[in-house]
Structure formats: C-alpha cells, structure tokens
Amino acid sequence: MKKLWGGRFDGKNEDWIDAFGASIFFDQALAKQDILGSLAHVKMLVHTKILSQEEGQQIIDGLTIIQQKVANDELDYTVQNEDIHLNIESFLHEEIGPVAGKLHTARSRNDQVATDMHLYLKEKVQDILEKIHDLRKVLVTKAEENIETIMPGYTHLQHAQPISFAHHLLAYYQMLTRDQERLSENLKRIDCSPLGAAALAGTTFPIDREFAAKELGFGSVYANSLDAVSDRDFILEFLSNSSILMMHLSRFCEEIILWCSHEFQFVQLSDTFSTGSSIMPQKKNPDMAELIRGKTGRVYGDLFGLLTVMKGLPLAYNKDFQEDKEGMFDTVETVEKSLTIMSGMIASMQVNQKHMLESTEKDFSNATELADYLANKGIPFREAHEIVGKLVFSCIQKGIYLQDIPLEEYQSIVPTIEEDLYDKLSSYTAVKNRNSLGGTGFAQIEKQIEQAKQHL
C-alpha cells in the first residue's frame, strides 16, 4: 500500500517497523474528533474560497458518511495508514475519489492531531466535571443525614477529638470543590484551537483560523503557530489535576477500607461494591475502594510519563508526541470510572452511628475539653494542659476515663470545678459546642451544608 506521504521515498519499511511507528492501535479513539476537525477545516476552505463550493460539499458528504460509519463501529483501520488521520483520509478517498486529497490543503497532521486532542479533552473534562458534581452532591446528602453522628477525629491515626461524621464528609466535599475549580481552569487552556498552524509555521493560503475555531466551538486560537503544534501543557495540566483528584479519592478510600474493618466497624459497604474470598467464606472485601487506591498510582504514572517525554523536546513537532495519547486516554477512563464508583459506594454506604459514638466514649478524646474547661476557670492553658496530662496518665493506670473521676477528686485539684464538667466531657456536647467558623459544631455544619447546596 502506497503511503500518503510516500512521494519522497523509494524503499519500503518492513511490517514490524510500520507497526512500531503506527499509532492507530490507540488513536482511533480520536476518530470522532478527527472528523469534526476536518469538517470545520473544509468549511473554512470553502469560506475563504480556497476550495470551490462543489469540492467542499463532496468532501463534507464523504466525511458525513465516514462519521456515520465511525458511530456504527463499521471501519477497519490499518497499520499501513499509521494513524487516525491517514486512515480517515484513505476512507475518504474510497468514498469520493481524488478530490479527498484537497482536504489536507493548508493543514498538517501536526495541527490536526493537536486539534483532535483539544476537542477530546474538552468533551471529557466536561464529563468529569459532571461526575465530580454528582459525587459532591452525594457527600452533601450523606452529611445532612449524619450531622449529629459522632465519631472520633484522628491525628496520627490516634483518637484526637470527637467530631461529626458530617464534618468529615464535608472535608472531602471541599477537596472535590477545589478539584472542580482546577479542572474548570484547565478548560480555559483546552478551549483553544491550534487548527491552521499547519506543520509549524502557518501557511501561505488565505485561511481564516477564527472561522474554523468558531465552527468547532473553541473560545480562542493559539497566537503562535510553533506553540500551537508543540504545546502539551493542556494535557499535562489535566494529568496533574487528575492526579490530585485521584489522591483525594485514594485518601477517602483508605479511610473507608479502615472503617469497614472488624477493628473499626464504622461503616458497611453495599454488596455491589464488595467481593468475597475464594477460600475464606466470611470475607467481605472493600475491593472497589482498594482498586481506586491502587489505580491512583497509574494516573501518577501517566503524568510522569508525559513530563518525561516533554522534558527534552525541541520545537516544534517530534514523533515522541505519539506518546502523549495513551496516558491521556488511560487517565480519562480511570478518573471517570473511579468517580462513578465513589458516588455509588458512598450513597449506599451504611453508617454504624451507635458504634461510632461508643468509640468516643471509651477513650481520652475529651481531654482537650477538660483543658479548655480549666482555661475558662482562669488557669493558664499550658498549666491546664499539664494537669490534664497527669490526670490521663493516672486514669490509664487505674483503667478508667476522665468522665469516671469523682467530682471530689477534681475539686481537690481545682476547687472551682463544678458538676457541669461532666456534660462538657460528653462527646455530643464537645462536638456541638465547637462552633468556631468552619468547626465541627452542628450549627457550623448546617451552615456548610447550606452553602454547599447553594454552590451546587
């Protein structure tokens, strides 16, 4: 089969060389975008009178036929045609004959593939933003159901202070809000058309890049043709944002995995998001959470893979750019599936409210409440901190907790301590009273939920 670029060549590559250099195995995923870009390009060529109306309509009719075949998965791509661009052009030749060759006037595969990827990511990032929005809604709904659900708050994976479970969920809501903001900013760089930059230097044909950009729904065009064909920042930014997003999902999955364990027993996942063991009949494993945690690493790998490809490339286009797509496709698929699973997993998750509360009543997570109580009695906080530390040490030796110490013993240390101390030491009161801005107090959580609902 003669190469569409083969005029300058006399020899023929061996099949395995062709296969090594081909990208059609994966870039066929850009078929829809490639045809959209070609349709906009040919309309621009007609608009600028570079092609006649008749020639343009022939090409548009042929591309429309191929577009339908792509939608119906009826095309057989070939390695000999290397990539999606030459495969589509070859199909067009079969449909309409030699006039198909005029489609590539004032265009290069360099600006063509860049356009395809901008179109692809623009669509996919919008899909991902919708999935993030859905997950944020799930978190707010679950938080609203658990405003007064008390759980231990942790630092160093040690009981620290009691908090509302809703407060914990809303922390992830805030993380995902930042993820949504980052990807929305990313869209500004994605929404820029490289079409018309040609190979690297623009073209002598009187093209209208703004016309083509408008046809494709782009908000702007690249100001520099060298930059247009060599820029992959928009993909790197997407991969970076996706890595941060997956890190957030992974952290949450790690906590869910812990909460499902026999040691915690805070939550129970739906059977839909769990699996069993081939040898241990009692097992119910949080495999979907574990997979999201594991797949986070492959998204990191996609980012570092492209960073490594890019770090030594001179301007403008280099064949190395062929390595920019598989990681992008992989990250899109991984992020989309992970977000969908997270939404379903959290929405169907059962919360063991009773056990969560009990786990805050047999610990010393109320120690700060006692220190704050003493500080309100006029004792300097550092002195109060030392007093409480000694009391905790004494309780551990006796096998009791702060709320078990008799009032007389408290008063022997600080005479101004009163009966109301025991209410202050309860987990419920400790959480309810933390009403500083952004705190875990119920009133503050209600404000957070109301703000989230308005934002959503």
Side-chain angles (χ1 to χ4, degrees):
M1 180 182 293
K2 181 182 177 182
K3 302 288 187 185
L4 293 180
W5 45 258
R8 179 255 184 269
F9 289 79
D10 184 38
K12 178 184 180 298
N13 285 343
E14 294 186 38
D15 289 345
W16 71 271
I17 294 287
D18 280 343
F20 184 76
S23 60
I24 191 59
F25 306 108
F26 50 85
D27 70 6
Q28 59 187 270
L30 296 172
K32 181 178 80 170
Q33 290 77 19
D34 199 70
I35 293 171
L36 288 174
S38 291
L39 285 167
H41 184 66
V42 71
K43 289 175 185 177
M44 182 275 296
L45 293 176
V46 172
H47 170 73
T48 55
K49 297 182 170 50
I50 297 170
L51 293 186
S52 69
Q53 288 278 358
E54 182 182 359
E55 290 170 327
Q57 194 58 54
Q58 279 185 271
I59 294 172
I60 289 170
D61 291 344
L63 287 171
T64 303
I65 292 170
I66 297 168
Q67 191 175 44
Q68 189 59 51
K69 289 183 177 181
V70 168
N72 296 335
D73 196 22
E74 296 174 356
L75 296 177
D76 293 320
Y77 303 103
T78 67
V79 170
Q80 288 73 23
N81 280 326
E82 300 177 15
D83 55 37
I84 190 59
H85 323 299
L86 295 186
N87 270 272
I88 296 294
E89 188 172 338
S90 178
F91 295 139
L92 188 61
H93 271 271
E94 293 173 10
E95 292 291 341
I96 65 173
V99 72
K102 293 194 174 187
L103 171 61
H104 212 56
T105 306
R107 186 177 71 170
S108 163
R109 282 186 292 175
N110 296 357
D111 62 335
Q112 191 177 355
V113 68
T115 301
D116 290 358
M117 290 191 294
H118 276 272
L119 288 171
Y120 173 85
L121 262 193
K122 184 177 177 180
E123 177 185 335
K124 292 301 183 180
V125 168
Q126 288 169 336
D127 291 344
I128 289 169
L129 285 170
E130 288 183 14
K131 291 181 182 297
I132 293 174
H133 184 266
D134 292 343
L135 178 53
R136 289 165 69 221
K137 284 175 66 177
V138 167
L139 287 170
V140 170
T141 299
K142 188 66 75 172
E144 196 165 24
E145 295 169 358
N146 288 279
I147 293 174
E148 296 191 9
T149 300
I150 310 300
M151 69 174 291
Y154 293 86
T155 62
H156 310 279
L157 204 58
Q158 304 290 316
H159 284 210
Q161 293 176 300
I163 62 172
S164 161
F165 183 51
H167 194 56
H168 198 114
L169 294 172
L170 290 172
Y172 284 100
Y173 168 86
Q174 295 296 339
M175 294 180 209
L176 287 162
T177 299
R178 294 193 294 274
D179 290 323
Q180 187 146 6
E181 290 169 352
R182 274 186 285 268
L183 283 164
S184 295
E185 278 293 314
N186 191 180
L187 267 179
K188 295 178 183 178
R189 263 74 69 187
I190 295 170
D191 192 24
C192 187
S193 174
L195 191 58
L200 74 162
T203 176
T204 58
F205 288 95
I207 63 171
D208 187 338
R209 292 187 62 205
E210 286 81 7
F211 179 93
K214 187 176 180 181
E215 282 289 319
L216 290 169
F218 282 120
S220 61
V221 299
Y222 276 85
N224 181 288
S225 60
L226 275 171
D227 184 42
V229 297
S230 63
D231 173 39
R232 296 298 183 268
D233 292 359
F234 67 103
I235 303 177
L236 287 167
E237 188 177 356
F238 166 70
L239 296 175
S240 176
N241 292 337
S242 295
S243 294
I244 296 171
L245 167 59
M246 288 299 295
M247 176 268 291
H248 290 152
L249 299 187
S250 183
R251 291 182 73 182
F252 200 0
C253 284
E254 170 68 9
E255 295 193 308
I256 290 170
I257 292 162
L258 290 171
W259 294 343
C260 287
S261 69
H262 181 75
E263 287 72 19
F264 279 78
Q265 299 183 52
F266 285 177
V267 303
Q268 183 171 329
L269 296 182
S270 162
D271 290 355
T272 303
F273 301 99
S274 309
T275 64
S277 164
S278 63
I279 189 173
M280 296 169 282
Q282 83 282 8
K283 293 295 292 299
K284 183 177 181 180
N285 301 323
D287 277 10
M288 296 305 105
E290 291 173 3
L291 278 170
I292 292 172
R293 185 178 61 180
K295 287 178 182 294
T296 298
R298 70 187 291 151
V299 173
Y300 292 178
D302 293 334
L303 169 61
F304 278 92
L306 184 55
L307 282 170
T308 305
V309 167
M310 295 296 298
K311 72 177 183 64
L313 296 187
L315 295 176
Y317 186 87
N318 300 272
K319 189 69 168 178
D320 312 52
F321 279 135
Q322 191 163 292
E323 296 300 312
D324 61 4
K325 298 170 195 65
E326 288 178 279
M328 178 181 71
F329 296 148
D330 178 67
T331 290
V332 165
E333 182 180 8
T334 302
V335 169
E336 286 186 332
K337 290 181 178 178
S338 296
L339 286 168
T340 299
I341 288 171
M342 283 296 291
S343 290
M345 187 163 58
I346 295 166
S348 59
M349 181 173 68
Q350 295 180 12
V351 181
N352 189 341
Q353 297 174 333
K354 181 173 180 290
H355 192 71
M356 278 187 174
L357 175 62
E358 288 173 349
S359 68
T360 68
E361 294 176 339
K362 299 298 180 182
D363 66 1
F364 294 98
S365 62
N366 54 2
T368 305
E369 310 312 311
L370 177 54
D372 287 348
Y373 181 90
L374 297 178
N376 280 321
K377 293 293 184 182
I379 298 173
F381 184 80
R382 281 296 164 212
E383 185 180 333
H385 187 286
E386 183 176 359
I387 291 170
V388 175
K390 289 178 178 178
L391 285 170
V392 168
F393 182 72
S394 173
C395 285
I396 291 171
Q397 291 179 315
K398 297 175 182 177
I400 62 174
Y401 299 96
L402 293 173
Q403 58 268 33
D404 299 326
I405 298 174
L407 180 61
E408 297 77 17
E409 186 175 338
Y410 273 125
Q411 290 176 333
S412 69
I413 302 169
V414 180
T416 55
I417 290 178
E418 301 174 41
E419 187 77 33
D420 67 339
L421 169 65
Y422 295 100
D423 178 59
K424 301 289 187 186
L425 291 177
S426 78
S427 299
Y428 183 89
T429 303
V431 175
K432 179 184 176 183
N433 289 344
R434 292 198 174 274
N435 271 318
S436 57
L437 181 63
T440 192
F442 303 144
Q444 282 296 316
I445 291 171
E446 287 170 356
K447 287 181 181 179
Q448 289 183 53
I449 290 172
E450 184 57 33
Q451 289 171 355
K453 285 181 174 180
Q454 291 175 6
H455 195 229
L456 287 167

